[in-house]
Amino acid sequence: MNRSFYWNKTKKNAEQNFSLEIGTNLKENLENIKKMLDDPSDLVIREFTIGSANHRTAIVYIDGIVDSVYIHNHIMEDLKKASELPAEKQELFDVIHWEVITVTDIKRGQSLDDVSNAILSGSTVFYLDGMDQVLIMDTIGGETRAIEEPQSESLIRGSKEGFVENIRTNTMLIRRYIADPNLRFSTYKVGRRSKKDLIVAYMDGIVNPDLVDEVKRRLETIDIDDAPESGYIEQWIEDSFLSPFPQMLNSERPDKASEALLQGKVVILLDRTPFVLIAPVTFGSSLHSPEDYYWRWSLGTLIRMLRYLAAFISVFLPALYIALVSYHPGLLPSDLAFSIAASRDEVPFPPVVEALIMTATMELLREAGLRLPTAIGQTIGIVGGLVIGEAAVSAGLVSPVMVIVVALNAIASFALPSYSIAISFRILEFGLMGAAAVFGLYGIILGYIMINIHIVNLMSFGVPYSTPFAPNFLSDWKDLVLRAPITMMKRRPIYTQPKDKKFMNEGDRKQ
């Protein structure tokens, strides 16, 4: 999806006095690139001569986004040390291209558009007086963040490496996990003005070709000025923007992305963001964590079952409290019903208002903790919750039971492995609270049915979101709520329709 600046040549030449073609005069070429970029302060133009004939040359780059040491050692030094260079321009240009410059990635450019795109992307451009072509050399560098543990997906056991903002570093991390010649990286350009690199990664021979074609087709429809984060890509190519559920997973973990590739999924990487996208996704896989597979199967199963319980609590607990206290106190044990009634004796609000006050307060504290520096944010989250909860109970605004319900609800949402699915459950939580306030348990049941209908009809790149529940693939149940021993998971998930269905060569496995 390589896009140009869509220059209107006649209009641009009239309004801005520069040519879009590379000429043979070095001085005019350098003036053109200055005028096109409005001669910014970080534009570096180094003119010099080479060879015994003193051929006039120049290199152009943007300071701060290139490796200046690399430019000095592999471009300037190579050109300065070159001797016995031919006098004829074309022959000299070819010799410099093929013999003199030792930069690994080098290609030729034909227009000013090629030059501007290159230098704004971190490349260095070489001009030779008398030639209407340039050499474009990959010298991307500058300050970047070091590889460190992902902040949003920390694990007790597992890799401590996380993706960074440099897309080449991210592809390197994936290659470290998958040393397979069938690993494919298809590169695109996204953004008419930003022209950021976007890579579609997949395993040739495993992934369904129809899935790759569909992902590429959707990506080719993107037509925006800039995509500053992979969330823009996710929102553009997802199946249903009205659904509260994420139809693509985002992750900072290279081990999670690599495992998804080996399952027959597609991973999308965007430059300048550490979050990659994984597709397709199902409801069950959104509750899985890489750590489930690093522990023994019994412990992994227990952790996953606790996670499903946490998902239920985060969605239904406040609604159940409202329904039982407002409409169905007879369903509670007598002692518990009397205890709740006594605790609410001085509360002036109905249960739904009480729940909304505490839930909204907890959401505010959660967001405040995320936006503040780490140390202060943790203090605000813990101390703020305790202080406000105690003050609300002392003031008679809420009951102690309501504080317990909201605290359990918040803890359960923190236990979910994906922040995007946790937000989805928080949206559903407020909808079910409204349904419980109006219809009681019948409203919760009606809301539950509507959620299931929506999930069954929701798709993620052609894969039903409810898979493997509906359609029912019993073989995929080995890695759903329960996590079977590794030796029993011999095949890749059926819902991805992989070309190579066997995950394990059973004949070679030691018994």
Side-chain angles (χ1 to χ4, degrees):
M1 197 173 57
N2 294 318
R3 303 184 184 277
S4 67
F5 274 138
Y6 300 105
W7 295 102
N8 183 321
K9 294 187 177 181
T10 303
K11 181 178 179 180
K12 285 293 181 181
N13 287 337
E15 295 179 354
Q16 303 184 34
N17 187 25
F18 59 82
S19 172
L20 293 173
E21 300 298 330
I22 297 178
T24 57
N25 187 287
L26 177 61
K27 183 177 181 180
E28 291 181 359
N29 289 332
L30 297 179
E31 287 298 322
N32 283 337
I33 192 64
K34 287 181 181 179
K35 291 177 181 178
M36 185 177 190
L37 301 179
D38 199 24
D39 197 11
S41 59
D42 55 355
L43 178 65
V44 177
I45 298 178
R46 173 73 164 86
E47 297 185 57
F48 55 96
T49 60
I50 59 174
S52 58
N54 290 328
H55 295 285
R56 295 177 58 226
T57 62
I59 60 171
V60 181
Y61 60 88
I62 297 291
D63 188 28
I65 61 174
V66 298
D67 188 339
S68 57
V69 175
Y70 188 84
I71 292 174
H72 179 269
N73 294 337
H74 293 272
I75 298 178
M76 296 295 297
E77 289 295 323
D78 291 341
L79 290 170
K80 287 292 186 181
K81 292 178 181 178
S83 60
E84 299 182 1
L85 295 174
E88 199 271 324
K89 297 290 186 180
Q90 183 63 56
E91 185 179 358
L92 172 61
F93 193 77
D94 292 337
V95 168
I96 292 173
H97 183 185
W98 299 111
E99 299 179 18
V100 176
I101 296 179
T102 59
V103 175
T104 304
D105 187 0
I106 182 172
K107 59 184 178 180
R108 301 193 181 196
Q110 308 288 339
S111 67
L112 191 60
D113 200 26
D114 294 337
V115 173
S116 63
N117 289 341
I119 64 175
L120 292 173
S121 299
S123 295
T124 298
V125 176
F126 170 80
Y127 284 93
L128 174 63
D129 189 33
M131 289 297 300
D132 58 358
Q133 300 180 63
V134 296
L135 294 180
I136 299 174
M137 298 159 284
D138 184 9
T139 54
I140 297 176
E143 297 295 327
T144 58
R145 183 168 63 92
I147 298 174
E148 56 189 18
E149 183 178 2
Q151 297 298 314
S152 61
E153 297 175 275
S154 58
L155 301 180
I156 296 175
R157 181 173 184 176
S159 171
K160 303 302 180 182
E161 292 179 330
F163 288 124
V164 295
E165 286 74 14
N166 189 308
I167 195 169
R168 291 304 169 192
T169 303
N170 294 341
T171 56
M172 173 271 293
L173 289 172
I174 293 179
R175 287 194 183 276
R176 281 183 177 178
Y177 282 88
I178 306 177
D180 192 309
N182 293 313
L183 178 59
R184 300 286 184 262
F185 291 115
S186 298
T187 304
Y188 296 83
K189 291 290 185 181
V190 174
R192 287 176 296 182
R193 298 186 181 275
S194 63
K195 294 180 174 61
K196 287 182 179 174
D197 287 332
L198 181 145
I199 293 179
V200 178
Y202 57 92
M203 291 295 298
D204 192 21
I206 295 179
V207 70
N208 188 334
D210 293 337
L211 172 61
V212 178
D213 292 342
E214 178 63 17
V215 171
K216 292 182 177 180
R217 184 193 67 80
R218 297 189 189 187
L219 290 174
E220 288 170 356
T221 65
I222 299 176
D223 188 14
I224 53 179
D225 282 347
D226 180 29
E229 214 278 333
S230 58
Y232 277 67
I233 308 300
E234 178 183 4
Q235 295 173 68
W236 191 287
I237 66 176
E238 65 183 356
D239 287 73
S240 174
F241 67 90
L242 295 175
S243 175
F245 293 100
Q247 291 127 65
M248 304 179 73
L249 286 181
N250 61 78
S251 178
E252 289 185 89
R253 301 194 61 86
D255 55 345
K256 186 174 182 178
S258 302
E259 184 62 27
L261 290 171
L262 294 175
Q263 289 179 348
K265 298 181 180 181
V266 171
V267 174
I268 300 174
L269 304 93
L270 181 67
D271 197 18
R272 312 314 307 158
T273 175
F275 288 92
V276 305
L277 302 176
I278 300 173
V281 62
T282 64
F283 179 81
S285 63
S286 63
L287 294 176
H288 293 176
S289 169
E291 201 170 19
D292 297 346
Y293 306 95
Y294 301 155
W295 299 105
R296 296 184 66 252
W297 73 272
S298 54
L299 182 56
T301 297
L302 174 62
I303 294 174
R304 188 171 290 179
M305 293 176 68
L306 288 174
R307 201 175 294 131
Y308 273 85
L309 176 62
F312 176 84
I313 292 175
S314 65
V315 175
F316 290 100
L317 187 59
L320 285 173
Y321 172 82
I322 294 171
L324 292 174
V325 172
S326 301
Y327 292 95
H328 313 283
L331 295 178
L332 297 172
S334 299
D335 292 343
L336 178 59
F338 291 146
S339 176
I340 294 175
S343 66
R344 297 197 70 258
D345 186 47
E346 297 182 359
V347 176
F349 304 115
V352 62
V353 175
E354 180 186 10
L356 285 173
I357 290 174
M358 287 306 299
T359 306
T361 302
M362 185 59 67
E363 294 297 328
L364 289 173
L365 285 172
R366 192 197 316 252
E367 289 301 311
L370 289 174
R371 309 304 167 210
L372 291 172
T374 303
I376 301 176
Q378 293 177 348
T379 304
I380 290 293
I382 297 173
V383 177
L386 292 173
V387 171
I388 292 178
E390 179 65 26
V393 172
S394 301
L397 297 178
V398 297
S399 64
V401 178
M402 185 69 249
V403 175
I404 296 173
V405 168
V406 172
L408 285 175
N409 175 263
I411 293 172
S413 67
F414 290 138
L416 300 175
S418 172
Y419 185 72
S420 57
I421 195 67
I423 293 177
S424 301
F425 288 166
R426 284 150 66 180
I427 295 173
L428 297 176
E429 169 195 345
F430 283 101
L432 289 171
M433 286 168 59
V438 177
F439 300 108
L441 285 178
Y442 300 105
I444 297 177
I445 294 171
L446 181 61
Y448 175 73
I449 293 173
M450 293 175 64
I451 292 172
N452 278 276
I453 292 174
H454 173 69
I455 291 177
V456 169
N457 285 279
L458 186 61
M459 305 288 284
S460 174
F461 291 87
V463 174
Y465 204 72
S466 56
T467 305
F469 296 106
N472 187 10
F473 298 127
L474 287 178
S475 61
D476 287 352
W477 282 56
K478 297 177 182 178
D479 190 24
L480 187 59
V481 180
L482 303 178
R483 204 229 81 189
I486 294 294
T487 53
M488 293 181 62
M489 295 190 292
K490 304 171 185 176
R491 294 183 176 271
R492 294 183 172 88
I494 295 178
Y495 67 83
T496 60
Q497 298 180 353
K499 292 177 65 177
D500 182 5
K501 297 179 173 57
K502 295 179 64 177
F503 179 76
M504 179 189 307
N505 192 339
E506 189 177 9
D508 295 339
R509 180 172 61 84
K510 293 182 180 181
Q511 300 295 329

